[in-house]
Amino acid sequence: MQKLRLLFFFLICPLLLLAQTRTQIKLENAEKATGDLKIKASYLRKPTFSHDGAILKCDSAVLYTERNFFEAFGNVHINQGDTLNIYSDFLNYDGNAKKAHLDKNVKLIDRQNTLTTNILDYDMVAKIGKYTTGGKLVNKDATITSNRGVYFSNYQDVYFTKDVLVVTSEKTTINSDSLRYNTGTNWTYFYGPTNIKNKEDKLYTENGAYNTKSENALFGKKNLYTNGSRSLKGDSLYYYGKKGYGKAVKNILFKDTKDQTNLWGQLGEYYRDEERVVVTQKAYVGIGTKDSITVNDKKIPDTLWLGADTLESQRSLVKDLKLLERPVVKKDNEIGTEDEKEKAEKDKEKAEARKLLAGQSDATKEETKKVVSSNTKKLSRKERKKLEKQGEKPKTEAPPPVDSLALNKLKLQRDSLVADSLFKLKKVAVTATAKTDSIKNKASKSAKAVVGVAKAVNKNTDSLKNTAKQAVKPLLKDTVVTNPADTVRARVIKAFHNVRVYKSNMQAKADSLFYTSADSTLRWYNNPILWSDGTQQTGDTINVFFKNSKIHNFQVLQNGFIVNVEGDSTKFNQVKGKIITGFFVDGELRNMYVDGNAESIYYSKNNKGEYDNVNQTVSSRLRFKFIEKELTHIVTIREVEGAVDPLDKLTKEALLTGFIWKPELRPTSKADIIKGIPKASKPKAKTPTKKATSVGAKAKNTASNKSAAIKTLSKEATKEAEEKIPEVKELLKSLPKAIDSVKIDSLIKKQ
């Protein structure tokens, strides 16, 4: 019973306190007042009320004194404290509940914030305003509209729900279903799907915060940052808008749809202005290729997976990159580059064209001179001046008919000169090198010669003259020729420490790696190892070139060493040299060239497919052919020395100096790229058997005499000790310090 009384007391206390705090609405003044005794109401014109520190004014009002309530009409104004003012067309005010219901053209002004709506319910005690028919909050930093909202004046917080739109002073827009905005700190807090957009960035979250002034953001659920073709997401996302810096934590993914690049990891940093992202902690990237593999009788793209302790991806200007030229096989098995090959072909074609023109030039020049000299009537200086005074011009006779052979020769010369000049113009526009001035002069002379010949042959060749003028015009002016590489950007990927690469036909590891889509080349540095089928390549630097998104060839620079194993064989075909270049066809290694102090060891087979001989070769250049992943031919090209030894006469395995074989480091799947290559587990120590224990006991009892202890070992114990050397070693560690364990180990091995 006592408990019920206490409960009733605590329940009634708030009501008693509320009743005690009730105050009567006070009419301060009015221009005119009339009363209605029936309804106990007073009609007032331009009244002023006061209630608990608040001042209320309007054009007219009806005051119900007993109810402590009044209705206000026209130019309603509520002033509460020093900062809060509310305006409307109509007002119902309850003095007992201390609540105001404002209707039509409602405007709440609190400090630097202005809230407008059609209907507002305002609690005068809690200083809380609520609207449900649409409203707008405006301050110097943002404009927020929504269907519903609650304004907390004491805390400077506003809760907005349903179709919320925020437009900041920096032209950033925020669309959300539910958010809270603090007018003092400018922080916006999201509680549902939210999109943030500005000129460059787009942000999405379902739970987070954003500052409309500093443009800083932190998100915690289903987060995504987008900038053009690039995007970054993670379980937690932090972004500093004005700095253009973002950070993603746990399960992050960076994408660039423009070059189909995806980066994964557990920690990422994004730099907007540099277009750079750095990913660490289980970082890996997938690079799409046009190679394909068959899985369950279905062809799928063969993606190249690359993992490292740190991955850095950036879009860089092509002009700032040092691009590599793809190796090609030239004449006489020479290794060159594609640019050198194309240049040689163009030079050859140009030389042939000049040779053809040179054979016709003498006769053509003579005929041209005759035509030009016969067309122009030679006049003396006096005759020319005399004609000019009379207002006449020197006349030229019509050209005599030209035979078809001479005309054809002139046309051939004209077309050749035009083509030559246009070729030079194209070269100038593309290369824009320091040789521009000399090319200008040559092209200008060629173009002038073309115009002269064209005039002599036919006066109606206006189109040819226009072409020649257009060819000369850009060369005569100091026009700045822009190179596309000055503005074009390409994807660059840098990998640092513990670099791993997996592709179905290629795997690799190194300390660091560099890749750019500008030349589609992977570069490995610092002790790189590259595997392809049964072949392992090592060297100071390894470059792998792609062509049309397919692996094309590789090149090992300095101290190149290649080991090839066929199937399950233990015979190692070996090659070493300064530069090793390999070429792929349909994803399989077909040809390989070794230059500079080339050495090789090759195991040949007989008709039965059995190994019979070992071929050792030394040359300045070697060529190797592969068919179906097996080495089939070795072609010696220069300065050959070699020897062939039968396999059965070899006393030891033939190995070249610097031989390395590391299959345990080879990535075997995408999982090895993500998690890293698993370390080889150490064999667990087995419990010693009774026999091994007895052997150890005997050795311990005769520790004073080493030789006696060894002799007492039976043949059976010795055989068992050989099989269980690790266990015996553990037992020997327990022997007294007087025993020389090193000598005992050596003796056991000898037996």
Side-chain angles (χ1 to χ4, degrees), residues 49 54 523 583 699 748:
F49 302 97
R523 306 159 173 86
F583 296 88
I748 291 174

Side-chain angles (χ1 to χ4, degrees), residues 186-468:
N186 299 111
W187 276 101
T188 306
Y189 303 89
F190 313 112
Y191 305 100
T194 303
N195 288 285
I196 304 173
K197 298 179 183 179
N198 60 22
K199 294 180 180 178
E200 298 180 354
D201 308 320
K202 294 181 181 179
L203 295 159
Y204 175 83
T205 186
E206 294 184 4
N207 189 299
Y210 177 82
N211 192 291
T212 58
K213 190 174 183 179
S214 65
E215 299 182 15
N216 295 340
L218 53 99
F219 303 142
K221 182 181 178 181
K222 294 184 179 180
N223 315 302
L224 177 65
Y225 165 82
T226 307
N227 180 282
S229 62
R230 298 170 295 280
S231 64
L232 176 67
K233 67 179 182 179
D235 290 358
S236 297
L237 188 64
Y238 307 88
Y239 187 68
Y240 304 87
K242 291 187 177 180
K243 293 181 179 179
Y245 169 78
K247 189 174 183 179
V249 181
K250 198 175 180 181
N251 298 321
I252 74 163
L253 171 60
F254 171 80
K255 280 187 177 182
D256 192 337
T257 56
K258 191 172 184 178
D259 49 24
Q260 298 180 347
T261 300
N262 297 329
L263 273 79
W264 289 266
Q266 298 302 310
L267 180 63
E269 295 178 278
Y270 177 74
Y271 303 85
R272 181 187 61 201
D273 295 340
E274 301 174 27
E275 298 186 38
R276 179 167 64 97
V277 61
V278 180
V279 182
T280 57
Q281 299 182 15
K282 294 184 179 180
Y284 67 100
V285 60
I287 302 176
T289 71
K290 290 185 179 178
D291 290 330
S292 61
I293 56 175
T294 303
V295 178
N296 298 328
D297 299 328
K298 184 179 179 181
K299 286 189 175 182
I300 61 173
D302 188 13
T303 303
L304 186 147
W305 299 101
L306 189 158
D309 292 348
T310 301
L311 282 176
E312 181 178 320
S313 179
Q314 183 176 11
R315 291 188 64 82
S316 300
L317 290 171
V318 173
K319 69 174 183 177
D320 296 333
L321 300 175
K322 185 178 180 181
L323 306 182
L324 298 181
E325 297 176 355
R326 191 180 296 110
V328 295
V329 181
K330 300 195 298 184
K331 189 178 180 181
D332 299 328
N333 289 315
E334 294 283 344
I335 300 297
T337 62
E338 287 188 343
D339 289 347
E340 292 175 351
K341 189 174 181 180
E342 291 177 1
K343 185 179 179 182
E345 291 176 354
K346 288 179 180 179
D347 290 343
K348 185 178 179 181
E349 293 176 358
K350 196 172 179 182
E352 290 177 355
R354 286 177 176 174
K355 186 177 180 182
L356 179 62
L357 288 173
Q360 299 174 346
S361 61
D362 294 338
T364 306
K365 286 179 181 178
E366 290 297 328
E367 292 185 14
T368 304
K369 287 180 181 179
K370 291 179 181 179
V371 172
V372 174
S373 62
S374 61
N375 289 343
T376 306
K377 189 175 183 180
K378 294 183 180 180
L379 298 174
S380 64
R381 206 177 273 179
K382 292 181 179 180
E383 292 174 341
R384 201 175 284 274
K385 287 183 179 180
K386 185 178 180 181
L387 290 173
E388 289 176 357
K389 287 180 180 180
Q390 296 175 358
E392 297 180 7
K393 294 183 179 180
K395 296 181 180 180
T396 57
E397 296 179 2
V402 182
D403 65 317
S404 60
L405 180 60
L407 184 59
N408 289 335
K409 288 182 179 180
L410 288 172
K411 287 182 178 180
L412 178 62
Q413 184 183 24
R414 177 192 65 190
D415 295 339
S416 300
L417 289 170
V418 170
D420 190 61
S421 63
L422 292 175
F423 173 78
K424 290 176 181 177
L425 280 173
K426 183 179 180 182
K427 186 176 180 181
V428 171
V430 174
T431 60
T433 59
K435 298 181 180 180
T436 305
D437 294 334
S438 61
I439 296 175
K440 287 179 183 179
N441 295 333
K442 293 180 181 179
S444 179
K445 291 179 181 179
S446 301
K448 288 178 181 179
V450 172
V451 175
V453 173
K455 284 182 179 180
V457 175
N458 194 341
K459 292 182 179 179
N460 296 325
T461 56
D462 294 334
S463 61
L464 178 60
K465 288 192 288 184
N466 293 333
T467 303

Side-chain angles (χ1 to χ4, degrees), residues 42 170 274 310 438 543 547 648:
S42 299
E170 301 294 334
E274 301 174 27
T310 301
S438 61
N543 299 327
K547 186 176 182 179
D648 55 4

Side-chain angles (χ1 to χ4, degrees), residues 499-510 524 527-538 542 544 551 554 563 584 660-668 677:
V499 178
R500 309 169 301 279
V501 172
Y502 177 80
K503 192 173 177 291
S504 65
N505 58 353
M506 179 187 70
Q507 302 82 40
K509 73 166 292 293
W524 280 278
N527 302 319
I529 304 177
L530 176 69
W531 293 272
S532 177
D533 297 324
T535 301
Q536 172 190 283
Q537 298 97 19
T538 58
I542 299 179
V544 176
I551 186 170
F554 72 86
V563 181
F584 290 81
I660 298 175
W661 180 245
K662 296 287 185 180
E664 69 276 8
L665 301 178
R666 184 175 188 172
T668 58
I677 302 169

Side-chain angles (χ1 to χ4, degrees), residues 23-25 51 64-70 93-96:
T23 56
Q24 194 70 23
I25 299 172
H51 189 239
Y64 302 89
T65 306
E66 290 186 358
R67 292 170 53 191
N68 202 23
F69 178 89
F70 73 84
Y93 184 78
D94 187 343
N96 295 330

Side-chain angles (χ1 to χ4, degrees), residues 18-74:
L18 183 62
Q20 289 176 359
T21 57
R22 285 183 179 179
T23 56
Q24 194 70 23
I25 299 172
K26 183 178 181 181
L27 176 63
E28 297 291 341
N29 58 66
E31 290 185 359
K32 185 179 180 181
T34 58
D36 189 336
L37 297 176
K38 291 184 179 180
I39 60 175
K40 297 180 181 181
S42 299
Y43 297 93
L44 309 170
R45 179 182 296 177
K46 293 192 179 293
T48 299
F49 302 97
S50 64
H51 189 239
D52 284 349
I55 304 299
L56 303 94
K57 297 179 179 181
C58 59
D59 289 346
S60 61
V62 179
L63 175 64
Y64 302 89
T65 306
E66 290 186 358
R67 292 170 53 191
N68 202 23
F69 178 89
F70 73 84
E71 297 174 339
F73 307 91

